[in-house]
Amino acid sequence: MESLLQVKNVEKVFGKGTNTFKALEDISFTIDHGEFVGIMGPSGAGKSTLLHVLATIDSPTKGDIYIEDENVAKMKGNQLVDFRRDHLGFIFQDYNLLDSLTVRENIVLPLAIAKLPVKEMDEKVESMAKAFGIAAILDKYPYQISGGQKQRTASCRALVSNPKLIFADEPTGALDSKSATDLLQALSSLNEEQETTIMIVTHDAFAASFCRRILFISDGHLFKEMNRGTHSRKAFYQMILEELAQLGGGGHDVI
Amino acid sequence: MTLFNIALKNIRKNMKSYGLYIGSTIFSIVIFFTFATLKYSGDISELAEESKQISGIMNASAFVLIIFVAIFILYSNAFFMRKRKKEVALYSLMGVRKQKIGFLLFFENMVIGIISLIVGIVAGFFLSQLLLSLLLKLMGLNIEIGFVFSSNAIIETMIVFMIIFLFTSLQGYRIIYRFKLIDLFQASKKGEDLPVAKAISVILGLAALVAAYWLALQDLTSPVWSYLGLAMPIVIIALTVLGTFLIFNSVLVYVLHRMKNRKFWAWKGLNLMTASQLLYRIRGNAKTLTIIATLSATTITAGGAVFGVYYDTGKTVEQSTPFTFMWQGHEENIDSSIVKESIHVDTKTIRVNSEQMEKEYTVIDQSTFEKLAKALEWEQTALNLTKGKVAMVEPFYNEQWMEEVANVSLQDVNYEVVQMYGESIFNLSTLPGTVIVTQDEVYNALHAEEITYQAVQLDNYKTHIDLSKELEAKPSTVDFSSAVQNYQDTLEGTGVMLFVGSFLGLVFLVATGSIIFFKMMTEAEDDKDKYSILYNIGVPKKEIKRTIRNQVGFVFLAPLILGLLHGTVALVAFSNLLQMNLLIPVVIWMATYVFIYILYYFITIQGFHKTIFHSIQEGN
């Protein structure tokens, strides 16, 4: 089976002339359909740059990124926007909900943009809201609900259009541990039941332990890969912590 | 480095963000100085001496202009200060004392003021020369004029604007004192409830507007007028303003609510977003939108009326002065190649005593009438009077206001009035009053002194001002009246009115447009994040642009439509009152207005896009 995401020799350079900075260097990996992958690393390692490049929000200086058989690194302008709309979903640390719309309306937005029939939109919103446990608050406004509920709403919005690939940038960064657990459990059960492919960037070992596989990057290089395999989530969490401790210097800012 | 130096440097370094503020200040000064120059210019002063009306118009307009310019500058100053809050906060955070920051802003504003005053006066000088020649042309005067330079205008402009700048500078000072550092860290933005419309205010709003329109379209003879009397205009204006406010505050909110809840419409593209953004925007801006709609309505009405009167000058003149020349006395020698018609008119004046009043009638015979009617190209020129019947010519006859006269008795003989004409058959300043047409024999039998008049019709009458003056100067032409002279006089008056009207109209329009522009720019600043979110979740730029177009369009369109509607009703009432057909001039005027308004819309859209997409690019 062909991989969903194929990253080949990606390099990203910021700046011009002599004053350049290599944020990413020679990054290559693949992600298959239905995977739940985490990307970890200390601050400044290039996690966010990598996510931006993969999510087509920024373009790489060199290299290719294939999503299925399309090379998004070579796409431009409207083509990119259409691709992003049709195939990718995003979850951000600060939720990015629209204050003036209700939870239901926020979730329906990507579907409305794709111009689906109203009945179908209604059904999708309902079932997605149930999966994330927010069916009861569908008609509330973002300022009336908690941070955890906001992030679940944002996740619903990212998943409702059934994208091929979900990118989550520090999704639990602003949540307390209970809310974070709820969200991650919802994401991982969606991943298991519906084989949604999810990639999250995090420096929180707890969040990362929900993933099936973790890629570590440091100073713009990919230097280690960990698979959860048959380990329990708790055992995996310990493994991650050990790995982070070995990473040294950056160790303290990952906890 | 002194404080003054910092202030100067501040302006130099931030030229771009200062540009908008300085631009609108200079614009105000140019407008005001130009107007002041016109007011003090010799040619207009001469006219003004002749006509108290003109100097009155100019002074009143200058006053309106001052108020308007002051509001406009205050508005752009507030916008400007809002943009600079962060800068102020930074100074404050670094430990600069409030007093010092206040002084800095005060100096800076004064420097801006003085620089714009100089630039504005120079630019205004050239603009005023251009407008002055245009004005003289509109007044129908062919005078060559040199450069007009008026020290009075400069002094007046300086005084007015120094006061305004002093005020805005103090305003800046005040902002510093009210300012709290916590404003910089607006950590928790409180959510606002979605505005809801109360049914009662929806109904009240619509009812107020309908009532205002209904009242405005009532005739002067209607019972409502006699009931409300002179309070009528005030009642109409109050109802209109109230209705306009409630339309924005409730009716539109209600409509948008309904639209937002209709999934078939709302859940399509970004309609949902557009509707909810507008809901907050319309309600939050109901006051501003009401002001804009009222201003637009005023501009449209005043401009339309003035332009209509100017456009109608020829017709108005012809109504009261149908013949090119008319005088009492004998025929004069006029170049026969330009004479279209020259009629010798014999009249008798008959005094009639009726029960209520005494009235004088001018009597002419049927054959004279037919000649006159033919010369004036009336539709019905043949009048077949039979015995005992007469016709009556009553200038400005109005079926609604006057009772029809069925009988008239001349020297104790009673005649039946069989025909009524509502136009003037003579030049009113030569021979005013009601005219009775009798059979030739009846006329000859009347015992009264016969007075002879001459009525002359020329080809292209507007061009014979010299001949008119020549004839008027002759002692043999008694009670001389001239359509040429009349036209010229009227044109001078209405020309100034037109000029002042369109000048003020333009200023109002520009100010209205600018207020919306500033409002929308402030909102673009607030909405930046929302559009970034949309872009991040994959909404194409095309869709974002479309929702911006719709939102800005709605905010522009709603007050414009209301303004046009109010204006139309007011102008219909006005033309009914004056019995003028204003359709063509009013349509021209409205089209011009809408055109400039649309230009503003596009400028605003551009600014909005710039703000939004600039932030989206940066966000990457």
Side-chain angles (χ1 to χ4, degrees):
Chain A
M1 186 175 134
E2 202 188 338
S3 322
L4 174 64
L5 176 72
Q6 238 183 319
V7 181
K8 284 184 182 165
N9 310 318
V10 162
E11 185 178 313
K12 177 72 187 175
V13 182
F14 288 113
K16 267 181 189 152
T18 51
N19 187 22
T20 55
F21 166 69
K22 254 184 201 170
L24 296 175
E25 201 174 355
D26 195 26
I27 302 246
S28 301
F29 63 91
T30 58
I31 293 178
D32 288 333
H33 283 279
E35 274 203 277
F36 191 173
V37 179
I39 293 181
M40 292 196 78
S43 294
K47 298 185 305 271
S48 292
T49 310
L50 178 62
L51 184 90
H52 285 162
V53 166
L54 296 183
T56 72
I57 292 174
D58 205 351
S59 57
T61 313
K62 251 192 226 162
D64 298 307
I65 300 163
Y66 290 94
I67 293 181
E68 286 187 330
D69 47 2
E70 290 183 90
N71 189 352
V72 295
K74 297 279 183 284
M75 282 189 191
K76 284 214 167 58
N78 285 335
Q79 207 186 352
L80 254 180
V81 176
D82 290 347
F83 183 83
R84 191 162 25 180
R85 183 190 62 202
D86 296 339
H87 303 299
L88 306 179
F90 299 92
I91 303 170
F92 306 90
Q93 178 175 357
D94 49 2
Y95 327 127
N96 276 348
L97 295 178
L98 294 165
D99 302 332
S100 52
L101 301 183
T102 60
V103 168
R104 183 196 304 279
E105 287 164 348
N106 263 296
I107 299 174
V108 89
L109 208 55
L111 299 177
I113 290 159
K115 301 201 167 97
L116 261 59
V118 171
K119 213 175 151 207
E120 200 182 326
M121 288 196 257
D122 253 336
E123 284 163 5
K124 283 194 173 185
V125 172
E126 290 287 346
S127 72
M128 193 53 75
K130 250 181 222 142
F132 278 92
I134 52 169
I137 55 162
L138 274 177
D139 289 316
K140 294 212 161 150
Y141 284 89
Y143 70 91
Q144 297 169 315
I145 62 179
S146 72
Q149 289 169 325
K150 279 185 200 169
Q151 193 57 295
R152 277 180 274 161
T153 305
S155 307
C156 279
R157 183 180 65 189
L159 286 154
V160 77
S161 55
N162 215 354
K164 285 180 184 148
L165 192 50
I166 306 281
F167 292 103
D169 189 1
E170 303 278 7
T172 57
L175 301 183
D176 60 73
S177 58
K178 167 79 171 64
S179 303
T181 314
D182 286 348
L183 175 74
L184 289 163
Q185 267 166 358
L187 282 176
S188 87
S189 64
L190 265 169
N191 166 253
E192 276 160 24
E193 287 157 21
Q194 302 186 11
E195 302 205 331
T196 315
T197 315
I198 302 169
M199 185 179 134
I200 74 175
V201 164
T202 181
H203 59 223
D204 173 16
F206 176 73
S209 67
F210 282 83
C211 300
R212 309 294 313 169
R213 182 159 70 110
I214 294 170
L215 305 167
F216 289 90
I217 68 171
S218 175
D219 295 332
H221 292 273
L222 200 64
F223 80 93
K224 185 164 170 93
E225 198 179 317
M226 273 172 83
N227 270 302
R228 182 161 144 192
T230 54
H231 296 284
S232 72
R233 192 193 63 75
K234 277 195 177 145
F236 195 46
Y237 177 54
Q238 283 307 320
M239 288 165 67
I240 298 167
L241 283 183
E242 280 162 26
E243 180 60 40
L244 288 174
Q246 276 178 21
L247 259 170
H252 64 270
D253 77 29
V254 297
I255 304 161
Chain B
M1 192 176 261
T2 63
L3 207 53
F4 186 72
N5 277 341
I6 295 180
L8 259 181
K9 213 171 168 190
N10 222 342
I11 299 178
R12 263 212 311 273
K13 292 266 171 172
N14 292 318
M15 211 55 200
K16 208 174 160 192
S17 64
Y18 283 66
L20 201 62
Y21 176 56
I22 297 181
S24 47
T25 319
I26 290 181
F27 166 79
S28 313
I29 295 170
V30 169
I31 294 287
F32 187 81
F33 179 70
T34 306
F35 195 78
T37 305
L38 297 182
K39 198 174 86 175
Y40 285 112
S41 95
D43 302 273
I44 300 212
S45 306
E46 270 168 41
L47 266 178
E49 267 170 40
E50 282 174 29
S51 148
K52 280 272 169 293
Q53 204 184 354
I54 293 177
S55 76
I57 293 174
M58 291 302 255
N59 277 330
S61 308
F63 183 70
V64 174
L65 205 56
I66 289 177
I67 291 179
F68 213 81
V69 156
I71 291 176
F72 183 60
I73 291 187
L74 281 182
Y75 214 97
S76 39
N77 184 262
F79 176 74
F80 179 59
M81 289 307 276
R82 234 182 98 119
K83 275 193 119 177
R84 302 191 50 204
K85 264 202 167 157
K86 274 213 167 131
E87 188 190 326
V88 170
L90 202 64
Y91 290 146
S92 194
L93 204 61
M94 290 187 311
V96 182
R97 287 192 180 172
K98 278 187 173 182
Q99 216 174 7
K100 274 216 156 173
I101 303 174
F103 264 126
L104 182 76
L105 289 183
F106 183 85
F107 268 129
E108 186 193 274
N109 202 31
M110 287 314 275
V111 169
I112 290 180
I114 289 165
I115 291 174
S116 3
L117 206 50
I118 294 166
V119 176
I121 286 180
V122 172
F125 173 70
F126 289 107
L127 185 67
S128 61
Q129 308 307 319
L130 191 77
L131 289 180
L132 198 58
S133 51
L134 184 72
L135 171 58
L136 291 176
K137 211 176 150 96
L138 282 175
M139 289 179 4
L141 299 175
N142 282 321
I143 312 170
E144 282 294 316
I145 46 153
F147 277 124
V148 177
F149 185 77
S150 156
S151 48
N152 277 343
I154 291 186
I155 292 168
E156 191 173 316
T157 310
M158 282 208 185
I159 292 174
V160 166
F161 280 92
M162 281 323 256
I163 292 172
I164 294 177
F165 288 137
L166 211 63
F167 189 77
T168 51
S169 300
L170 286 174
Q171 183 88 357
Y173 211 82
R174 213 170 56 106
I175 287 175
I176 303 308
Y177 272 88
R178 272 198 325 199
F179 176 77
K180 290 194 186 75
L181 205 50
I182 189 72
D183 292 342
L184 179 63
F185 308 99
Q186 296 167 317
S188 55
K189 250 197 197 164
K190 263 199 202 156
E192 254 182 279
D193 277 314
L194 197 69
V196 196
K198 284 202 195 93
I200 178 88
S201 48
V202 172
I203 295 165
L204 202 65
L206 290 173
L209 218 52
V210 170
Y213 284 179
W214 181 77
L215 284 177
L217 293 176
Q218 287 306 300
D219 237 294
L220 277 176
T221 52
S222 81
V224 196
W225 265 100
S226 53
Y227 183 68
L228 285 172
L230 286 176
M232 183 90 157
I234 299 166
V235 171
I236 294 174
I237 289 169
L239 280 176
T240 313
V241 173
L242 177 73
T244 311
F245 178 74
L246 287 177
I247 290 261
F248 288 125
N249 190 54
S250 300
V251 179
L252 285 181
V253 170
Y254 176 77
V255 171
L256 283 168
H257 245 292
R258 292 297 298 266
M259 281 168 85
K260 194 182 164 209
N261 289 336
R262 284 196 48 216
K263 290 179 184 171
F264 281 99
W265 177 83
W267 288 12
K268 202 186 273 169
L270 286 178
N271 287 351
L272 199 53
M273 168 91 178
T274 312
S276 76
Q277 286 286 92
L278 280 174
L279 266 174
Y280 283 104
R281 193 159 287 159
I282 296 277
R283 172 59 73 85
N285 291 334
K287 246 187 267 167
T288 314
L289 291 174
T290 309
I291 292 173
I292 290 168
T294 315
L295 270 182
S296 302
T298 315
T299 314
I300 290 167
T301 311
V306 168
F307 189 45
V309 170
Y310 178 80
Y311 194 85
D312 225 32
T313 301
K315 236 171 154 189
T316 316
V317 168
E318 280 156 34
Q319 260 170 21
S320 63
T321 319
F323 283 99
T324 313
F325 304 126
M326 202 171 156
W327 66 89
Q328 182 188 337
H330 297 285
E331 236 176 292
E332 297 287 342
N333 249 337
I334 301 174
D335 180 7
S336 61
S337 65
I338 56 170
V339 174
K340 207 154 90 183
E341 210 85 49
S342 179
I343 301 166
H344 177 96
V345 187
D346 289 327
T347 66
K348 286 179 180 169
T349 305
I350 305 291
R351 192 179 293 266
V352 175
N353 294 315
S354 69
E355 280 159 27
Q356 294 99 6
M357 54 180 173
E358 195 170 286
K359 204 172 172 186
E360 267 190 355
Y361 288 112
T362 304
V363 183
I364 57 172
D365 60 27
Q366 190 174 328
S367 44
T368 312
F369 171 83
E370 279 167 6
K371 267 190 266 173
L372 290 168
K374 209 170 138 234
L376 294 176
E377 292 165 3
W378 285 12
E379 278 169 29
Q380 192 186 348
T381 55
L383 190 62
N384 296 314
L385 292 173
T386 50
K387 197 161 182 288
K389 315 266 159 115
V390 294
M392 193 180 257
V393 182
E394 176 83 81
F396 307 118
Y397 173 74
N398 188 312
E399 282 174 35
Q400 290 162 319
W401 299 348
M402 293 181 196
E403 272 177 58
E404 204 166 336
V405 184
N407 291 292
V408 67
S409 78
L410 299 173
Q411 298 186 333
D412 303 327
V413 185
N414 208 31
Y415 297 94
E416 190 191 344
V417 179
V418 288
Q419 186 72 35
M420 194 74 178
Y421 295 92
E423 290 162 273
S424 26
I425 199 163
F426 296 128
N427 290 1
L428 290 180
S429 50
T430 301
L431 197 56
T434 313
V435 178
I436 288 180
V437 187
T438 64
Q439 283 181 296
D440 292 9
E441 308 84 71
V442 176
Y443 173 82
N444 290 333
L446 285 173
H447 297 291
E449 192 194 345
E450 187 163 77
I451 306 170
T452 307
Y453 291 93
Q454 305 297 329
V456 178
Q457 197 71 310
L458 300 186
D459 286 320
N460 243 339
Y461 75 93
K462 286 171 195 170
T463 56
H464 300 292
I465 186 74
D466 295 337
L467 179 61
S468 166
K469 293 209 161 110
E470 187 190 317
L471 285 171
E472 192 174 7
K474 284 191 184 170
S476 53
T477 54
V478 180
D479 278 343
F480 182 78
S481 67
S482 153
V484 194
Q485 191 61 47
N486 210 336
Y487 182 74
Q488 201 73 46
D489 293 344
T490 318
L491 207 57
E492 277 172 20
T494 52
V496 171
M497 251 166 66
L498 172 69
F499 180 79
V500 171
S502 35
F503 190 84
L504 287 182
L506 210 71
V507 173
F508 274 42
L509 177 53
V510 169
T512 322
S514 305
I515 289 175
I516 307 185
F517 177 79
F518 284 133
K519 259 251 126 80
M520 295 312 284
M521 284 302 110
T522 325
E523 271 165 15
E525 211 64 44
D526 293 344
D527 288 350
K528 271 201 292 211
D529 301 339
K530 284 189 185 137
Y531 290 102
S532 289
I533 294 171
L534 287 178
Y535 187 73
N536 282 340
I537 66 169
V539 178
K541 273 191 184 173
K542 216 173 61 192
E543 291 270 346
I544 293 182
K545 280 185 177 172
R546 211 169 60 139
T547 169
I548 291 175
R549 266 203 314 273
N550 289 344
Q551 282 177 49
V552 177
F554 197 91
V555 172
F556 265 88
L557 207 60
L560 177 66
I561 287 181
L562 275 179
L564 283 175
L565 217 62
H566 296 347
T568 309
V569 172
L571 286 170
V572 168
F574 179 75
S575 72
N576 281 347
L577 196 67
L578 294 192
Q579 309 248 313
M580 289 201 291
N581 184 2
L582 297 176
L583 185 66
I584 295 165
V586 165
V587 166
I588 294 174
W589 169 246
M590 283 184 174
T592 318
Y593 191 89
V594 170
F595 176 75
I596 299 176
Y597 203 87
I598 287 172
L599 279 186
Y600 257 96
Y601 167 72
F602 282 110
I603 293 170
T604 308
I605 292 273
Q606 279 306 315
F608 214 103
H609 281 170
K610 236 190 208 160
T611 310
I612 300 297
F613 289 111
H614 188 70
S615 89
I616 285 179
Q617 241 88 54
E618 267 183 356
N620 290 344

